[in-house]
Amino acid sequence: MAFVSNEAGKSNAMLAGSHGKRKPFRPNLIQPGLERNGTLTPSQGNPSPGEMLISVNVHQAMQGLLRQEDTDYDGLITIDDQGPKEFSLGPYSDGKETGFTVQGVYQLSCLLQELFLAQKHGLQKLPIKTSQLEENPVLRLSRLIKTSWWDNLTRRIDNDGIELAAPDPKMKGSLRIYIPPGVPEQHAYYTALAKQRPDMHLDVQWIPQGEVTAEYIKGINREPGLLAMEMEHGQSDGQPSPEQMKGCPFIVPGDQFNELYNWDACFCALGMLDTHLPVVKGIIKNFIFEIKHYGKILNANRSYYLGRAQPPFLTWLALKAFDRTQHEPDALSLLKSAILAARKEYLGWWTSTPRLDEESGLSRYRPIGQGSPPECPSEVFAHVFEPFTKKYDMTLDEVCAAYNDGSIKEPELDAFFDHDRAVRESGHDTSNRVEGLCADLATVDLNCLLHKIEEDIAWATQEHFGDSLSIPAEFCAPGDKANTTESSEIWRERAQRRKALIDKYCWNEDQGLYFDYNTVTKRQSNFESATCLWPLWSGIASSDQAAKVVKNGLPVLECAGGLASTSEKTRGAVSEANPQKQWDYPQGWAPHQILAWDGLDRYGYHNDSSRLAYRWLHMLTECFRNWNGTVCEKYNVTDLERPHKVEAEYGNQGRNFKYAPQEGYIYGLSLLNDTAKEALAQGVPWEGFSTDYSRAHL
């Protein structure tokens, strides 16, 4: 018996109130329903009425399936494979089960995933139900993220989790952890752990008292390690017990990125609010710990990132988490700590020298450091080091090593890596928008984020802390006096001043767009980027400015799969001299989509927001359906058939698996109503949904 998915046909969800009149589609906060519980593991139990169940030999079925359908031998079943796209399960000689035929790429890949995970769990026989293979792809994707993938990406740095959290695929070396001053209980904990488990070869190191300098960071680059994060104290006989300390959970991007990345984690946490609140709160607590002990939320918690931050989203995340947890007894305390920590980072890092440009009053990405980024192999910078191989009669690796240890001094290399570190701190590594000049740019995105922090601190101070925020010693920035108080007024004034400065230096009235400002050349950039929509998200734009950004920005950024990170025109033609960068056209990234949706909705452009959200989620769902469950960090938004095949720079996180994906995350499915989800499940593109499909269903 052949079968195809009929899940979408079962849905009768509609938008109420249309009365036969076509109503523009708008996302609303309807949560996904009808989701199967559990993780992507072999399903047990009796089949539902009308469906079939058959018990298969896992090894035999998997080998036969791969031999017949995986014609390019990559361990996946995709639209690139040239097999018959039809595989029979049974009937078997005992005559007890009739068997059925699985058809189509999606159902075949679901079968492969179920068989692989059964094999991983050590099962020899697997009961397969037709419903497992017919599962609505939108619901399947949502289910996997919520019930499996988030858990696979969660880490803790304690006795139970350190062996998973500590390894660094980017670097070779011992298992090592660095402890900041001020948490001696953690040093004692990890020292005892190292003695109890000598097989781990855990090296426990102090970070010295005083300012962490570029020289210090460079000095420990040969001995990289994990940076300690927040821990919660257990109790024994009513007293704190170091032996029972537990690491606060956090999320990692996965693959080679096995640490807590700042803005990656914030956007992951946004998608975890419905199902993984303890992890979201753990992320916030870890961010607070980083600011208290490292002075900022780090690029990530590795020793070589000690001098580098990332785009600051703490207040945004903390307020969203508070909305969900305000009924809990510790919710207000956590919010207050987050607000105080964000204040300390704002004053001590983002608006201090050298990040603050005194003349314009705007801030720049300017981390500290020396040499090339140790997490990157020398070949990444071959084009930079190559000219010096002849000058010093050295190989590429020798020039890199000599520059990093100070044997050769080259101001040209110093300038390049100053900007390179800034690019990495910006989170947009790399893009022609910022490459080679990032340390000099007062970017639109950073200053919008700082405006958001100013507004958030003002609002929280007035709404939740009686318009009087006391600053304890642990959250004092340089120049602060402990236990002084602040009202919301000072933060509103800062926000108003920054808005005026962004208007002065970053708004271009002739082009009707926001651009970065170069604080050295004193000129505005002309690079068109999706960050031109961030002033709508942060509320800086006037209604007239917002209208112009929509009119002038969307036509050059919107593609079939959502927003490209930059326009094609300002990226320029790709060539040997101008290679493709991963944060340039035609790539699209989730943060740009999410902030654009929010910004457009904030100013009343609901149809534009809905259209962009649907385009993005349609592309992701089709990639999941056609490419064996693939979910990536970035996509080619101009190619709906193969959007995941991005080869720029570091490849594409999320493609490196066989048989079944174990990690991945998508935000936005919960924003769609059931009608939109039904259309996604059927593979309807935006053009079809906005005309025939929506007219038939609304």
Side-chain angles (χ1 to χ4, degrees):
M1 160 183 171
F3 67 88
V4 295
S5 174
N6 61 0
E7 187 69 29
K10 298 175 185 175
S11 174
N12 61 359
M14 294 185 183
L15 288 176
S18 59
H19 301 294
K21 182 179 179 182
R22 185 176 170 220
K23 180 178 178 183
F25 162 71
R26 276 203 59 199
N28 62 42
L29 297 176
I30 300 176
Q31 301 303 315
L34 305 177
E35 297 179 37
R36 191 178 63 167
N37 293 324
T39 59
L40 183 58
T41 55
S43 299
Q44 305 292 333
N46 297 320
S48 301
E51 73 170 325
M52 299 184 65
L53 181 147
I54 188 170
S55 180
V56 302
N57 180 297
V58 172
H59 177 76
Q60 180 181 339
M62 186 170 173
Q63 293 304 307
L65 179 63
L66 288 169
R67 185 167 53 250
Q68 176 179 298
E69 298 293 342
D70 180 22
T71 59
D72 57 8
Y73 308 108
D74 63 354
L76 307 172
I77 297 176
T78 72
I79 60 173
D80 269 355
D81 288 306
Q82 300 302 309
K85 303 293 191 292
E86 183 174 291
F87 185 76
S88 295
L89 293 172
Y92 295 103
S93 57
D94 60 13
K96 294 180 179 179
E97 295 171 329
T98 59
F100 52 79
T101 299
V102 184
Q103 291 183 326
V105 167
Y106 174 64
Q107 283 80 14
L108 289 166
S109 69
C110 288
L111 174 60
L112 176 61
Q113 293 167 51
E114 298 282 354
L115 291 170
F116 168 72
L117 289 165
Q119 185 181 74
K120 184 178 177 182
H121 284 77
L123 298 181
Q124 295 181 349
K125 291 281 188 178
L126 174 65
I128 290 284
K129 294 183 287 187
T130 55
S131 60
Q132 292 173 257
L133 312 182
E134 293 180 317
E135 187 177 10
N136 179 319
V138 174
L139 301 185
R140 182 181 182 91
L141 177 53
S142 181
R143 173 177 63 79
L144 291 178
I145 293 170
K146 293 179 178 181
T147 64
S148 179
W149 293 351
W150 285 139
D151 296 333
N152 292 343
L153 292 169
T154 299
R155 302 286 185 270
R156 294 175 184 265
I157 310 176
D158 55 22
N159 178 53
D160 297 327
I162 192 168
E163 286 186 288
L164 184 61
D168 185 355
K170 301 181 295 304
M171 305 282 281
K172 295 179 180 179
S174 304
L175 204 63
R176 184 177 293 108
I177 186 165
Y178 285 90
I179 314 296
V183 283
E185 69 280 4
Q186 287 205 27
H187 191 276
Y189 174 87
Y190 291 114
T191 300
L193 182 60
K195 291 178 180 178
Q196 292 166 9
R197 300 178 61 182
D199 56 300
M200 282 199 306
H201 304 287
L202 179 62
D203 181 15
V204 184
Q205 294 286 335
W206 279 112
I207 295 174
Q209 291 277 356
E211 181 182 0
V212 171
T213 64
E215 291 77 14
Y216 169 74
I217 299 169
K218 177 182 173 181
I220 63 172
N221 278 344
R222 292 183 181 275
E223 296 183 332
L226 198 63
L227 296 175
M229 303 294 280
E230 184 63 280
M231 299 190 79
E232 295 178 332
H233 293 245
Q235 297 283 325
S236 179
D237 296 327
Q239 298 298 318
S241 173
E243 295 80 12
Q244 297 181 31
M245 292 171 69
K246 297 289 292 182
C248 285
F250 57 90
I251 203 84
V252 303
D255 200 2
Q256 62 177 316
F257 303 107
N258 191 36
E259 46 272 324
L260 173 62
Y261 282 82
N262 180 347
W263 77 322
D264 299 67
C266 284
F267 285 96
C268 288
L270 191 63
M272 301 175 83
L273 285 169
D274 290 337
T275 57
H276 287 68
L277 267 175
V279 180
V280 175
K281 291 193 289 184
I283 291 168
I284 294 170
K285 291 175 182 178
N286 282 311
F287 284 162
I288 294 167
F289 180 91
E290 287 188 305
I291 293 171
K292 286 167 66 174
H293 297 285
Y294 306 124
K296 55 195 170 293
I297 302 176
L298 301 170
N299 188 159
N301 62 315
R302 297 284 179 189
S303 56
Y304 44 83
Y305 291 138
L306 273 167
R308 195 191 310 167
Q310 258 197 339
F313 281 92
L314 177 56
T315 58
W316 178 64
L317 176 59
L319 286 168
K320 284 186 175 295
F322 181 76
D323 285 345
R324 301 295 182 95
T325 62
Q326 54 188 291
H327 60 282
E328 298 178 5
D330 64 340
L332 191 60
S333 174
L334 181 60
L335 175 63
K336 187 172 186 178
S337 292
I339 293 296
L340 288 167
R343 177 193 177 278
K344 178 178 180 178
E345 183 185 39
Y346 171 96
L347 295 171
W349 185 258
W350 294 115
T351 60
S352 67
T353 304
R355 284 154 292 280
L356 176 66
D357 175 52
E358 298 284 354
E359 184 174 334
S360 68
L362 298 174
S363 290
R364 306 164 289 201
Y365 292 108
R366 280 200 178 183
I368 62 172
Q370 292 180 352
S372 63
E375 72 273 19
C376 298
S378 58
E379 55 264 26
V380 172
F381 303 108
H383 64 294
V384 180
F385 288 121
E386 189 64 41
F388 299 96
T389 58
K390 294 180 181 178
K391 178 177 179 178
Y392 292 102
D393 191 25
M394 293 178 174
T395 66
L396 187 73
D397 286 342
E398 288 171 341
V399 170
C400 180
Y403 172 68
N404 286 333
D405 69 19
S407 301
I408 61 176
K409 308 287 186 183
E410 288 292 342
E412 182 180 339
L413 290 176
D414 293 343
F416 174 86
F417 286 111
D418 283 346
H419 290 301
D420 181 79
R421 280 187 292 273
V423 170
R424 296 173 191 281
E425 185 171 66
S426 78
H428 291 83
D429 46 326
T430 65
S431 163
N432 283 347
R433 176 173 76 98
V434 291
E435 188 79 358
L437 71 165
C438 191
D440 296 338
L441 291 180
T443 65
V444 172
D445 36 300
L446 175 58
N447 285 282
C448 283
L449 285 167
L450 297 180
H451 177 269
K452 184 75 167 63
I453 290 170
E454 292 157 351
E455 291 275 13
D456 287 346
I457 294 177
W459 185 86
T461 298
Q462 182 169 8
E463 292 295 317
H464 294 296
F465 310 124
D467 208 18
S468 179
L469 185 66
S470 178
I471 317 299
E474 62 182 340
F475 288 113
C476 281
D480 279 343
K481 286 187 176 181
N483 301 316
T484 56
T485 59
E486 286 180 346
S487 71
S488 59
E489 183 179 2
I490 186 174
W491 290 97
R492 286 204 180 84
E493 290 173 353
R494 285 172 173 150
Q496 291 165 3
R497 180 172 182 269
R498 189 172 301 276
K499 179 186 183 306
L501 294 174
I502 290 173
D503 279 346
K504 178 178 179 180
Y505 291 104
C506 299
W507 174 250
N508 188 306
E509 180 64 26
D510 292 336
Q511 296 192 49
L513 289 172
Y514 290 93
F515 294 99
D516 303 326
Y517 175 72
N518 192 309
T519 60
V520 174
T521 65
K522 317 298 183 190
R523 298 181 63 183
Q524 210 177 66
S525 167
N526 63 356
F527 207 100
E528 296 163 343
S529 165
T531 56
C532 73
L533 289 154
W534 288 34
L536 279 67
W537 168 78
S538 64
I540 287 174
S542 67
S543 58
D544 180 63
Q545 287 170 322
K548 290 177 179 176
V549 168
V550 172
K551 177 183 176 182
N552 300 308
L554 293 191
V556 299
L557 296 169
E558 183 174 353
C559 300
L563 290 174
S565 296
T566 68
S567 72
E568 183 177 16
K569 179 185 74 174
T570 50
R571 178 206 62 180
V574 173
S575 65
E576 185 176 350
N578 181 34
Q580 178 68 58
K581 308 292 196 305
Q582 66 171 359
W583 277 91
D584 283 343
Y585 176 94
Q587 271 68 258
W589 292 71
H592 285 171
Q593 318 301 318
I594 294 167
L595 298 186
W597 305 340
D598 282 359
L600 290 166
D601 266 333
R602 180 172 187 161
Y603 283 80
Y605 294 96
H606 305 304
N607 289 342
D608 294 300
S609 172
S610 300
R611 183 180 69 252
L612 291 173
Y614 190 94
R615 286 190 186 281
W616 176 256
L617 294 169
H618 167 70
M619 176 184 66
L620 269 59
T621 305
E622 290 305 286
C623 186
F624 176 80
R625 185 204 311 268
N626 294 330
W627 296 95
N628 208 116
T630 294
V631 176
C632 298
E633 66 172 354
K634 56 183 175 285
Y635 295 84
N636 179 343
V637 293
T638 67
D639 184 355
L640 294 184
E641 190 169 85
R642 290 172 170 78
H644 64 303
K645 295 207 169 181
V646 176
E647 308 299 340
E649 300 185 297
Y650 312 113
N652 202 359
Q653 169 85 13
R655 287 179 58 187
N656 300 324
F657 70 92
K658 288 187 175 183
Y659 313 128
Q662 304 288 288
E663 304 168 344
Y665 42 88
I666 289 175
Y667 174 76
L669 290 175
S670 63
L671 299 180
L672 300 183
N673 57 49
D674 289 346
T675 302
K677 289 180 205 167
E678 182 179 329
L680 288 180
Q682 294 193 26
V684 179
W686 168 255
E687 288 75 16
F689 179 70
S690 62
T691 54
D692 296 341
Y693 191 91
S694 61
R695 184 175 293 113
H697 285 70
L698 299 181

